């Protein structure tokens, strides 16, 4: 399920080829994802890690543990030329449900990525997650200090997000039901005046 036209001569890597590369240790010590047949290295730094942790904690405080799990930086079911590892995946059911398999689109109610400069979150990942049928996608942008909410990315070719500033709050909605509200500011790293990350 390729969503982006590749230039002539560019090699698309399949999920099976990517798995063989990983098994051979080609990416040892590196965090690499397969997105629409291309390889992308993910850089993690303290602000990114803080925001992933803050978002996971905020979600866990709202979600009933018997119905949903918050998974941080874990694999989801690969497909075609895709093997992403989203920063956050909110999945249905108890954790034992995923002892022998990764969660797929029918299991996942929300995917979220934390970004600073990586354009893949708004291009490859947005298109791929939409095409695969994931019901909701959030991008927490640390540089712009905002949260982009794609309530139904599969609904259109170029879904328009709701963009929430750090002074605003987002409603956590699952299966059409509001579960709770999260303030965007509580997800963002706070720096002292004059001190940069």
């Amino acid at each position: 399920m390729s969503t982006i036209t590749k230039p002539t001569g560019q090699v698309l890597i399949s999920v099976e080829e990517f798995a063989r590369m990983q098994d051979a240790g080609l990416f040892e010590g590196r965090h690499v994802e397969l997105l629409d047949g291309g390889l992308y290295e993910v850089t993690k730094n303290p602000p990114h890690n803080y925001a992933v942790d803050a978002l996971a904690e905020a979600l866990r405080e709202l979600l009933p543990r018997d119905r949903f799990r918050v998974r941080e930086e874990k694999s989801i079911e690969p497909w075609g030329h895709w093997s992403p590892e989203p920063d956050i995946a909110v999945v249905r059911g108890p954790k034992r449900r995923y002892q022998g398999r990764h969660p797929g689109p029918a299991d996942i109610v929300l995917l979220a990525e934390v970004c600073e400069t990586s354009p893949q979150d708004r291009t490859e990942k947005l298109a791929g997650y939409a095409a695969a049928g994931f019901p909701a996608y959030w991008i927490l942008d640390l540089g712009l200090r905002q949260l982009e909410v794609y309530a139904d990315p599969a609904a259109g070719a170029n879904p328009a997000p709701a963009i929430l500033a750090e002074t605003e709050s987002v409603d956590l909605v699952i299966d059409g039901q509001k579960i709770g509200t999260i303030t965007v500011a509580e997800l963002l790293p706070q720096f002292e005046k004059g001190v940069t990350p």
Side-chain angles (χ1 to χ4, degrees):
M1 173 187 314
S2 183
T3 56
I4 298 174
T5 305
K6 299 295 180 191
T8 303
Q10 186 169 353
V11 175
L12 288 176
I13 297 171
S14 70
V15 166
E16 294 78 16
E17 291 167 323
F18 182 60
R20 286 196 300 270
M21 290 176 187
Q22 289 177 309
D23 291 344
L26 291 178
F27 308 122
E28 192 169 331
R30 300 167 78 185
H31 186 78
V32 177
E33 294 180 298
L34 177 67
L35 307 177
D36 204 16
L39 298 176
Y40 294 87
E41 186 166 13
V42 179
T43 303
K44 297 180 183 183
N45 58 34
H48 175 276
N49 292 341
Y50 171 88
V52 170
D53 186 53
L55 179 54
E57 186 175 299
L59 290 166
R60 284 186 182 110
E61 287 176 3
L62 294 177
L63 292 166
R65 289 192 64 189
D66 59 329
R67 292 180 47 213
F68 300 102
R69 303 295 302 173
V70 178
R71 294 168 51 104
E72 297 174 58
E73 300 172 331
K74 291 182 174 57
S75 299
I76 61 175
E77 188 63 41
W79 68 96
H81 294 94
W82 292 85
S83 187
E85 194 173 283
D87 289 327
I88 299 285
V90 177
V91 301
R92 297 180 191 282
K95 64 182 173 184
R96 287 192 181 275
R97 186 175 184 174
Y98 307 106
Q99 291 180 112
R101 68 177 179 90
H102 297 304
D107 306 302
I108 296 171
V109 297
L110 170 66
L111 290 174
E113 299 286 357
V114 174
C115 78
E116 291 174 88
T117 58
S118 60
Q120 304 89 265
D121 294 325
R122 287 187 186 85
T123 55
E124 282 88 353
K125 286 186 180 180
L126 174 57
Y129 290 160
F134 293 103
Y137 178 47
W138 292 3
I139 300 173
L140 181 62
D141 190 312
L142 303 186
L144 297 175
R145 301 190 66 77
Q146 67 185 26
L147 179 67
E148 298 175 26
V149 176
Y150 296 84
D152 188 6
N158 294 305
I163 298 179
L164 304 169
E166 67 179 303
T167 56
E168 298 180 274
S169 296
V170 60
D171 290 338
L172 176 61
V173 178
I174 298 176
D175 298 331
Q177 179 183 359
K178 180 179 171 183
I179 306 293
T181 302
I182 300 171
T183 304
V184 176
E186 74 181 86
L187 308 177
L188 297 167
Q190 303 296 318
F191 302 105
E192 293 179 31
K193 200 168 190 141
V195 178
T196 56

